[in-house]
Amino acid sequence: MVTLAQFGAGRIGKIHAANIQRNPRATLKYVVDVDPKAAEALAAASGASVADADRVLADGAVDGVIIASSTDTHKALAEAACRAGKAVFCEKPVDLDSVRVREVVKAVEKSGVLFFVAFNRRFDPSFSALHQALRAGRIGKVEQVIITSRDPGPPPASYVKVSGGLFRDMMIHDLDMARWLLAEEPTEVYAVGSCLVDPAIGKLGDVDTAAVTLKTASGAICQITNSRRAVYGYDQRIEVFGAGGMLRAANRTDTTVEVADGTGVIRDKPMYFFLERYAEAYRIELDHFLGCLESGARPLTGVEDGLRSLLLADAATESAKAGRPVKV
Amino acid sequence: MVTLAQFGAGRIGKIHAANIQRNPRATLKYVVDVDPKAAEALAAASGASVADADRVLADGAVDGVIIASSTDTHKALAEAACRAGKAVFCEKPVDLDSVRVREVVKAVEKSGVLFFVAFNRRFDPSFSALHQALRAGRIGKVEQVIITSRDPGPPPASYVKVSGGLFRDMMIHDLDMARWLLAEEPTEVYAVGSCLVDPAIGKLGDVDTAAVTLKTASGAICQITNSRRAVYGYDQRIEVFGAGGMLRAANRTDTTVEVADGTGVIRDKPMYFFLERYAEAYRIELDHFLGCLESGARPLTGVEDGLRSLLLADAATESAKAGRPVKV
Amino acid sequence: MVTLAQFGAGRIGKIHAANIQRNPRATLKYVVDVDPKAAEALAAASGASVADADRVLADGAVDGVIIASSTDTHKALAEAACRAGKAVFCEKPVDLDSVRVREVVKAVEKSGVLFFVAFNRRFDPSFSALHQALRAGRIGKVEQVIITSRDPGPPPASYVKVSGGLFRDMMIHDLDMARWLLAEEPTEVYAVGSCLVDPAIGKLGDVDTAAVTLKTASGAICQITNSRRAVYGYDQRIEVFGAGGMLRAANRTDTTVEVADGTGVIRDKPMYFFLERYAEAYRIELDHFLGCLESGARPLTGVEDGLRSLLLADAATESAKAGRPVKV
Amino acid sequence: MVTLAQFGAGRIGKIHAANIQRNPRATLKYVVDVDPKAAEALAAASGASVADADRVLADGAVDGVIIASSTDTHKALAEAACRAGKAVFCEKPVDLDSVRVREVVKAVEKSGVLFFVAFNRRFDPSFSALHQALRAGRIGKVEQVIITSRDPGPPPASYVKVSGGLFRDMMIHDLDMARWLLAEEPTEVYAVGSCLVDPAIGKLGDVDTAAVTLKTASGAICQITNSRRAVYGYDQRIEVFGAGGMLRAANRTDTTVEVADGTGVIRDKPMYFFLERYAEAYRIELDHFLGCLESGARPLTGVEDGLRSLLLADAATESAKAGRPVKV
């Protein structure tokens, strides 16, 4: 049985705590949060105790920590956990500044702890099955990757302000998917962005609509399209084209019901947002982390994956501003 | 070049005349219709002449005749064509009375002419591809056949009155499909019918909603469902289940466009009615008839197929009235 | 917090025990099974104790019981639970003999306990959404219901022998769905059955391939098709046709991945069997039972629904044997 | 009745000649081709005569000409037709050199003749319905356009050599679609290209795999992906995303048949290539041209559309070579 502590009792923290509770291989001992009420509520719901970071890290019974607090606290917590020899399950992004992420990379290397960066999409059953078919050679060598990623609605300005911008906050997931599917590092990034959804986002110097083109040394090409608002729900699709065919993963829906009437044949729109669409992915990534902890295996996404995706997001941010492709 | 004459200048007659005109292997020499205006209009549009039946059948240049006139005229025309040694392309049904159809069977046998009964659905590219996959053994032995057939809207009472009833007029197509797909004659027919769409149909003693179960000697089962009204268009689907899998042919649509909005994901409803859905089937069945004429090959559907489907429709009619299965 | 005890530690028992454990509203106190090893294993996995029926029913802390033991034990346990004033969650079928089920109906009426018959399909999110759309008037009055239900593979002869036959064991689920969707009792049942899948089933006097037609007083028609073997998985589809359109619920798949290659475009086959396909339904039906227990509301499916479906299954069995429709 | 002459008796010429023959509003009087055998064969099949360009253009009975000869001959023929006052139906591209296309633009303006550039995809029923829904406001303001366009197999080196390169030869169609769907001129083009399919194409300095990003003044973004080889057939899809939803047009297939077996559920791959996929589009564009000729209406795609798409293709070619975005 793995004993865990969790930093962060917000939206994503609740997901992880519930999954720990449901998982027969793990138990949640502590919940830490700057908001005592939130910490207490989640601790009560999870059979855990409220504690502060020091107590958590000093407790020898704690095998690992879930870092699901606000992004600006990730680095210090991650480094402290490394020093305390705790395995780390860290929500993305590790940090918004690549210099600081490199410091975490060093701390991880020095400590030798298990460090998992929670790129949840890799654990979605459909994306994961697509990746498996790809690696099994189902469509031969990858030539083109097309990633569609649209949120149902834009975040509030307060969030956008501290988000690091669309490329680091939202597209970073797609950049990680691109690296994973291409199985080769992109060497060039070209990005265009527009503010078409919410003028408040533009006033903050950010974009809400974007397209990125990645190219690898071998000539494979990836196109990513992002929007902060899709009225029909969370649009999460992947297409990989290769010498021997094409693999696609479509959106998921709540039901398979369709109604035919005088206007057409109507099916469900995609599931609403990430909590719904990636509910299984969150459960599976926890299992993956626990498995690595038990077996000593390398996690599918380590701190260096967090760094590399951030470097791509930085390059995209720079490209969109400068209006030219950027080498990575 | 095959020289044809056509009886009937109505809706289906226009389809056949246009297909003959477009077909490089055939030419339409005559159009015959009781309505001189209709005959003249179609003859003008087709580069043909108006004539009466006697002249058509006496003209040695005429290789074959299309019988697309009203059902009650089919038998006499078919027999006359047999006597004149003309190949016959006969719209379904050959006649509404099986005794009379047997007389046509005899006339055909005696004369040895090519006699094609136009069960157009067998020539639909999707149904035809399904049948081909079936015969190629794609799903092994057939165990269940499910046929869905719904019209967009009910015919007028005037038509219903002379139609022979739903089973002989509408379901006869599905009964022919069932025979073709089962590749074995049904030995028992059970039918239920209701009048749910238009009370006027019920007043005429007919039904507008029906379900039939067929069983063959080997135990294969077929279910057919019919309705005279589907608000979403012409619903024409087939499912064949076998020991090694299932084959299905879905409805066809005008376009592949789908729109996703706040209400769902909306695709086209099925094509409107038989003229649209089976436009290609009408062209292909003409080609088939011409091919048989040129090569001497047996047609896919001969007069005996017309008879056997009618006998199944008769049995269904009797079953629905008597409330018990009927042996065939 | 509702305290439950469970009779039966087999395949379906494990599902229910796991769902209770995961459900924050309930706790499992006892597991009862004739096989002490199975009882102990499940009790250990569920944090419950092993007990016998008498102790369970005498324990005033027990609010309700899950009856998931073998079918022949349902009646006695159900009646004992009624006498003890425990709420009952009873797996289908209540019993294979309608006379005995009527006795349970009386026991339930006399005791006034909550009695839920676990027709799991009604709780499947897709079927449930379809039903909700239907009752909301989305397609107007129901005229035709088409239910497809095929298992991936036939059960062993030992199971078939005590199953009550295909109509009572397998189709009973579809008969319950038919009643629910028609919202009107069928008055006539016609069934045909064949043994096409496994001769051992035929030797036991049962069929493995069947089709049923139901008709209601208002003239609505339902067709059900069953097979004990579908090589492509568990085929569970529903189509409801009405005056204003059609509702369909398709099969569910493990992923949304499709691969396009030189042979075609290939998607997942349906989920393998009921444990996978109805995993959510099992969770939701437990929630429904707990909700009824807490609120005193009538369950969606009571003992009388178990009886009515069995009467339809009896009628179908008789019809298939006698070769004629049977009034209900 | 419109009288036409046609330059070019090759693959696409045969399509147009057959469509003219089938069209009741037009007649084909002459066929012109440098290969006398090809000209004669097509003339014979079409009921036309073989002639040379001078005779065709001098014949006052000729209302318009179809230019379907090799690309290098388009300009001279187009200009001669303008001088002769004949309406022109010109296959794309007008010319591979934008300077020369501007000369044709001037010739058209000076003469005032109807000049139609045959961007066939605008007439595909699915793309055309998508465009109509878009213009009707179905998804609000356009924000993103995603165009997928892959050929089944690469052309021979001999063709590639004179093709003007992938962007001018193949992607020009997609660039025209982009302009049409965006309803706004792109102001910036970024292109990347690779040679992944056939090294022979790379040796000629061309690419066979490419991605383009277009941006308009209002901030709308278009992504186009091209490949010269898709083993599953001709991949022609469009997605338009807007403030109020998304419109998509999927690939078309020969049939709607699907087979379910132990490996999955398999549907048809897309139609093989442009002759199959755009068969209807070729018929409809001819009708459009004839309608413009009869009514005096402006064609949907005039010579200036040919020019603008070519300028975008030029910019893409330059961008791919220079490795930076190019302003248009």
Side-chain angles (χ1 to χ4, degrees):
Chain A
M1 180 71 85
V2 173
T3 300
L4 298 174
Q6 181 171 298
F7 301 100
R11 188 164 57 165
I12 193 72
K14 281 177 193 150
I15 299 290
H16 292 312
N19 285 334
I20 294 168
Q21 225 188 330
R22 224 189 310 212
N23 196 307
R25 303 155 79 189
T27 186
L28 184 63
K29 188 162 184 190
Y30 300 112
V31 171
V32 188
D33 198 285
V34 287
D35 175 354
K37 272 194 186 161
E40 262 161 56
L42 188 57
S46 317
S49 313
V50 171
D52 62 14
D54 288 345
R55 183 168 153 212
V56 161
L57 297 174
D59 185 342
V62 170
D63 301 306
V65 298
I66 310 283
I67 303 182
S69 48
S70 65
T71 299
D72 58 333
T73 66
H74 287 189
K75 181 178 182 267
L77 289 169
E79 290 171 336
C82 286
R83 283 191 301 269
K86 307 298 189 199
V88 180
F89 175 117
C90 185
E91 264 303 321
K92 60 108 286 213
V94 178
D95 193 276
L96 292 171
D97 179 340
S98 65
V99 173
R100 288 166 54 86
V101 177
R102 285 186 204 275
E103 292 172 15
V104 179
V105 171
K106 275 181 201 157
V108 174
E109 280 168 2
K110 200 178 151 192
S111 68
V113 303
L114 165 67
F115 196 100
F116 171 68
V117 177
F119 280 119
N120 58 317
R121 293 188 195 171
R122 293 203 192 190
F123 301 92
D124 174 74
S126 291
F127 293 162
S128 160
L130 182 151
H131 183 266
Q132 205 171 338
L134 192 61
R135 288 302 157 254
R138 191 68 182 78
I139 60 161
K141 199 190 161 321
V142 174
E143 295 173 356
Q144 302 177 329
V145 173
I146 315 286
I147 299 177
T148 306
S149 179
R150 297 177 181 130
D151 286 352
S158 58
Y159 176 90
V160 169
K161 210 176 289 184
V162 299
S163 70
L166 178 142
F167 299 104
R168 288 189 194 91
D169 174 58
M170 178 178 176
M171 198 184 280
I172 196 164
H173 276 295
D174 306 303
L175 294 165
D176 177 65
M177 291 303 285
R179 289 184 60 242
W180 187 47
L181 296 166
L182 289 166
E184 192 190 0
E185 294 300 329
T187 54
E188 197 183 279
V189 178
Y190 176 74
V192 293
S194 299
C195 179
L196 303 174
V197 173
D198 183 354
I201 291 173
K203 274 179 201 153
L204 292 165
D206 199 1
V207 297
D208 50 34
T209 303
V212 155
T213 306
L214 305 173
K215 202 175 167 182
T216 68
S218 79
I221 298 168
C222 172
Q223 285 181 312
I224 301 171
T225 189
N226 272 192
S227 173
R228 285 286 197 184
R229 176 262 298 114
V231 298
Y232 52 85
Y234 195 38
D235 195 350
Q236 299 279 297
R237 287 172 285 144
I238 283 177
E239 171 178 327
V240 185
F241 175 80
M246 176 171 60
L247 283 159
R248 295 206 292 171
N251 282 312
R252 293 179 56 213
T253 54
D254 287 328
T255 78
T256 65
V257 175
E258 69 174 36
V259 55
D261 64 18
T263 66
V265 179
I266 306 140
R267 286 176 293 126
D268 279 12
K269 49 188 176 171
M271 287 179 166
Y272 177 60
F273 208 178
F274 63 97
L275 296 182
E276 292 81 15
R277 165 62 194 258
Y278 293 120
E280 281 170 294
Y282 290 121
R283 282 201 287 274
I284 298 169
E285 70 176 6
L286 175 67
D287 249 346
H288 174 72
F289 173 68
L290 296 173
C292 292
L293 232 168
E294 289 166 1
S295 70
R298 279 180 71 87
L300 182 56
T301 45
V303 66
E304 64 291 343
D305 293 290
L307 176 61
R308 284 188 182 279
S309 292
L310 180 60
L311 293 174
L312 290 175
D314 286 350
T317 308
E318 187 192 338
S319 171
K321 280 202 177 121
R324 55 171 177 71
V326 171
K327 302 274 178 209
V328 191
Chain B
M1 179 73 84
V2 172
T3 300
L4 299 172
Q6 181 172 298
F7 299 100
R11 189 164 57 164
I12 194 70
K14 281 176 193 154
I15 298 289
H16 292 313
N19 285 334
I20 294 168
Q21 225 187 333
R22 228 190 307 214
N23 195 308
R25 300 154 81 188
T27 187
L28 184 63
K29 187 162 185 190
Y30 301 111
V31 171
V32 187
D33 199 282
V34 286
D35 175 353
K37 271 195 187 162
E40 260 162 56
L42 187 57
S46 318
S49 313
V50 172
D52 61 15
D54 289 346
R55 184 167 151 211
V56 161
L57 297 174
D59 185 341
V62 171
D63 300 304
V65 298
I66 311 283
I67 302 182
S69 47
S70 63
T71 298
D72 58 331
T73 65
H74 287 188
K75 181 179 184 264
L77 288 169
E79 291 171 337
C82 287
R83 283 191 301 270
K86 308 298 185 195
V88 179
F89 174 118
C90 184
E91 265 304 320
K92 61 107 284 213
V94 178
D95 195 276
L96 293 171
D97 179 342
S98 65
V99 174
R100 288 167 52 88
V101 177
R102 285 185 203 275
E103 292 172 15
V104 179
V105 172
K106 275 181 201 153
V108 173
E109 280 167 1
K110 198 177 154 193
S111 68
V113 302
L114 165 67
F115 196 100
F116 172 68
V117 176
F119 280 119
N120 57 316
R121 292 187 196 173
R122 295 203 189 190
F123 301 92
D124 174 71
S126 291
F127 293 162
S128 159
L130 184 152
H131 183 265
Q132 205 171 340
L134 192 62
R135 287 303 157 255
R138 191 68 184 78
I139 61 161
K141 198 191 162 322
V142 174
E143 295 173 356
Q144 300 177 331
V145 173
I146 315 287
I147 298 176
T148 306
S149 177
R150 298 177 181 127
D151 286 352
S158 58
Y159 176 91
V160 170
K161 209 175 292 184
V162 297
S163 69
L166 178 141
F167 298 103
R168 287 188 194 91
D169 174 58
M170 178 178 176
M171 196 182 281
I172 196 165
H173 277 293
D174 306 303
L175 293 166
D176 176 65
M177 290 303 284
R179 290 183 60 242
W180 189 46
L181 296 166
L182 290 166
E184 193 190 355
E185 294 301 328
T187 53
E188 195 182 281
V189 178
Y190 176 73
V192 292
S194 298
C195 179
L196 303 174
V197 173
D198 182 355
I201 292 174
K203 276 180 201 150
L204 292 165
D206 199 1
V207 297
D208 49 36
T209 303
V212 156
T213 305
L214 306 174
K215 201 174 167 183
T216 69
S218 78
I221 299 168
C222 172
Q223 283 180 313
I224 301 170
T225 188
N226 273 189
S227 172
R228 285 287 196 183
R229 175 263 299 115
V231 297
Y232 52 83
Y234 194 40
D235 195 351
Q236 296 281 299
R237 287 172 285 143
I238 283 177
E239 171 178 327
V240 184
F241 175 80
M246 174 171 61
L247 284 160
R248 294 206 291 171
N251 281 312
R252 292 180 58 211
T253 55
D254 287 328
T255 79
T256 66
V257 175
E258 69 175 33
V259 56
D261 63 20
T263 64
V265 178
I266 307 139
R267 288 176 290 126
D268 280 12
K269 49 189 175 173
M271 287 179 166
Y272 177 60
F273 208 178
F274 64 95
L275 295 182
E276 292 81 14
R277 163 65 193 255
Y278 293 119
E280 281 169 293
Y282 290 121
R283 281 201 287 276
I284 297 169
E285 70 177 8
L286 175 66
D287 248 346
H288 174 72
F289 174 68
L290 296 174
C292 292
L293 232 167
E294 288 166 2
S295 71
R298 276 180 75 86
L300 182 55
T301 45
V303 65
E304 66 290 345
D305 294 289
L307 175 61
R308 284 187 183 277
S309 293
L310 180 60
L311 291 174
L312 290 176
D314 286 350
T317 306
E318 186 191 339
S319 171
K321 280 204 176 120
R324 54 166 179 74
V326 170
K327 303 275 179 205
V328 191
Chain C
M1 180 72 84
V2 173
T3 299
L4 298 173
Q6 182 172 298
F7 300 101
R11 190 165 57 167
I12 193 70
K14 282 177 194 154
I15 299 289
H16 292 314
N19 286 334
I20 294 168
Q21 225 187 330
R22 227 190 308 216
N23 196 308
R25 302 156 78 187
T27 187
L28 184 63
K29 189 164 183 187
Y30 300 112
V31 172
V32 187
D33 199 284
V34 287
D35 174 355
K37 272 195 188 161
E40 262 162 57
L42 188 58
S46 319
S49 313
V50 172
D52 62 14
D54 289 347
R55 183 166 152 211
V56 162
L57 296 173
D59 185 341
V62 170
D63 301 305
V65 299
I66 311 283
I67 302 181
S69 46
S70 64
T71 298
D72 57 333
T73 66
H74 288 190
K75 181 178 183 268
L77 289 169
E79 290 170 338
C82 286
R83 284 191 301 271
K86 308 298 188 198
V88 180
F89 175 117
C90 185
E91 266 304 321
K92 61 110 283 219
V94 178
D95 194 276
L96 293 172
D97 179 341
S98 65
V99 174
R100 289 165 54 86
V101 177
R102 284 185 205 276
E103 291 170 17
V104 179
V105 171
K106 275 181 200 154
V108 174
E109 279 167 3
K110 198 178 156 194
S111 69
V113 303
L114 166 66
F115 197 99
F116 171 68
V117 176
F119 281 120
N120 58 317
R121 293 188 195 172
R122 294 203 191 190
F123 301 91
D124 174 72
S126 291
F127 293 161
S128 161
L130 182 152
H131 183 264
Q132 206 172 336
L134 192 62
R135 286 304 157 254
R138 190 68 183 78
I139 59 159
K141 199 189 162 320
V142 173
E143 295 173 356
Q144 301 177 330
V145 173
I146 316 286
I147 299 177
T148 307
S149 180
R150 297 177 183 131
D151 287 352
S158 58
Y159 176 92
V160 170
K161 211 175 291 186
V162 297
S163 69
L166 179 142
F167 299 105
R168 289 188 194 90
D169 174 58
M170 178 177 176
M171 197 183 279
I172 196 165
H173 276 294
D174 307 302
L175 294 165
D176 177 64
M177 290 304 285
R179 289 184 59 243
W180 189 45
L181 295 167
L182 289 166
E184 193 188 358
E185 295 300 329
T187 53
E188 196 183 279
V189 179
Y190 176 73
V192 292
S194 300
C195 180
L196 303 175
V197 173
D198 183 355
I201 293 174
K203 275 179 201 153
L204 293 164
D206 199 0
V207 297
D208 50 35
T209 303
V212 155
T213 304
L214 306 172
K215 202 175 167 182
T216 69
S218 78
I221 298 167
C222 172
Q223 285 180 313
I224 301 172
T225 188
N226 271 192
S227 173
R228 285 284 196 184
R229 176 261 299 114
V231 297
Y232 52 83
Y234 195 39
D235 195 351
Q236 297 282 298
R237 287 173 285 141
I238 284 177
E239 171 177 327
V240 185
F241 175 80
M246 174 172 60
L247 283 160
R248 294 206 293 170
N251 281 312
R252 291 180 58 213
T253 55
D254 288 325
T255 79
T256 66
V257 175
E258 69 174 36
V259 55
D261 63 19
T263 65
V265 178
I266 306 139
R267 286 177 293 125
D268 280 11
K269 48 190 176 170
M271 286 178 167
Y272 176 62
F273 207 0
F274 64 95
L275 296 181
E276 293 81 15
R277 164 62 194 259
Y278 292 119
E280 282 170 294
Y282 290 121
R283 283 201 285 277
I284 298 170
E285 72 177 6
L286 175 67
D287 249 346
H288 174 71
F289 174 68
L290 296 173
C292 292
L293 232 168
E294 288 167 2
S295 71
R298 276 181 74 85
L300 183 55
T301 45
V303 65
E304 64 292 341
D305 294 290
L307 175 61
R308 285 188 181 280
S309 292
L310 180 60
L311 292 174
L312 290 176
D314 287 349
T317 307
E318 186 190 339
S319 171
K321 280 200 181 123
R324 54 167 178 73
V326 170
K327 302 274 178 208
V328 191
Chain D
M1 181 70 85
V2 173
T3 301
L4 298 173
Q6 182 172 298
F7 300 101
R11 187 164 58 166
I12 193 70
K14 280 176 194 153
I15 298 289
H16 292 312
N19 285 334
I20 294 169
Q21 225 187 330
R22 227 190 308 215
N23 195 307
R25 300 154 80 189
T27 188
L28 182 64
K29 189 162 182 191
Y30 301 112
V31 172
V32 186
D33 199 284
V34 287
D35 174 353
K37 271 193 186 162
E40 260 162 57
L42 187 58
S46 318
S49 313
V50 173
D52 62 15
D54 289 346
R55 184 167 151 211
V56 162
L57 297 174
D59 184 341
V62 171
D63 300 304
V65 298
I66 310 284
I67 302 181
S69 46
S70 64
T71 298
D72 59 330
T73 65
H74 287 190
K75 179 178 184 268
L77 289 170
E79 289 172 338
C82 286
R83 281 192 303 268
K86 306 300 187 197
V88 179
F89 175 117
C90 186
E91 265 304 320
K92 62 109 281 215
V94 179
D95 194 276
L96 293 172
D97 179 343
S98 66
V99 174
R100 288 166 54 87
V101 177
R102 283 185 206 276
E103 292 172 15
V104 179
V105 172
K106 275 182 201 156
V108 173
E109 280 168 1
K110 198 177 154 192
S111 68
V113 301
L114 165 68
F115 195 99
F116 171 69
V117 177
F119 281 119
N120 58 316
R121 294 188 195 171
R122 294 203 190 190
F123 300 92
D124 173 74
S126 291
F127 293 161
S128 160
L130 183 152
H131 183 265
Q132 207 172 337
L134 191 64
R135 289 302 157 252
R138 192 66 185 79
I139 60 160
K141 199 193 160 319
V142 175
E143 294 173 356
Q144 301 177 329
V145 173
I146 315 286
I147 299 176
T148 305
S149 178
R150 297 178 181 127
D151 286 352
S158 56
Y159 176 91
V160 171
K161 210 176 290 185
V162 298
S163 69
L166 178 143
F167 299 104
R168 287 188 194 92
D169 174 58
M170 179 178 175
M171 197 183 280
I172 197 164
H173 276 294
D174 306 302
L175 294 165
D176 177 65
M177 291 303 284
R179 293 182 58 240
W180 188 46
L181 296 166
L182 290 165
E184 193 189 356
E185 294 300 328
T187 55
E188 197 182 280
V189 178
Y190 176 73
V192 292
S194 298
C195 179
L196 303 174
V197 174
D198 183 354
I201 292 173
K203 276 181 200 150
L204 293 166
D206 199 0
V207 297
D208 49 37
T209 303
V212 156
T213 306
L214 306 173
K215 203 175 166 181
T216 69
S218 78
I221 297 168
C222 172
Q223 285 181 311
I224 301 171
T225 189
N226 273 190
S227 172
R228 285 284 197 184
R229 176 263 298 114
V231 298
Y232 52 83
Y234 195 40
D235 195 352
Q236 298 280 298
R237 287 172 286 142
I238 283 176
E239 170 178 329
V240 185
F241 176 79
M246 175 172 60
L247 284 160
R248 293 207 292 172
N251 282 312
R252 293 179 57 211
T253 54
D254 287 327
T255 79
T256 66
V257 175
E258 71 175 33
V259 56
D261 63 20
T263 65
V265 179
I266 305 140
R267 286 176 291 127
D268 279 11
K269 49 189 175 171
M271 287 178 166
Y272 177 61
F273 207 179
F274 64 95
L275 295 182
E276 292 81 15
R277 164 64 194 256
Y278 293 120
E280 279 169 295
Y282 289 121
R283 283 203 284 276
I284 298 169
E285 71 176 8
L286 174 67
D287 248 345
H288 175 70
F289 173 69
L290 296 174
C292 291
L293 232 168
E294 287 166 4
S295 71
R298 276 181 75 85
L300 182 55
T301 45
V303 65
E304 64 291 343
D305 294 289
L307 176 61
R308 284 186 181 280
S309 293
L310 180 60
L311 292 173
L312 290 175
D314 286 349
T317 306
E318 186 190 339
S319 171
K321 281 201 176 121
R324 55 170 177 70
V326 170
K327 304 273 179 208
V328 190

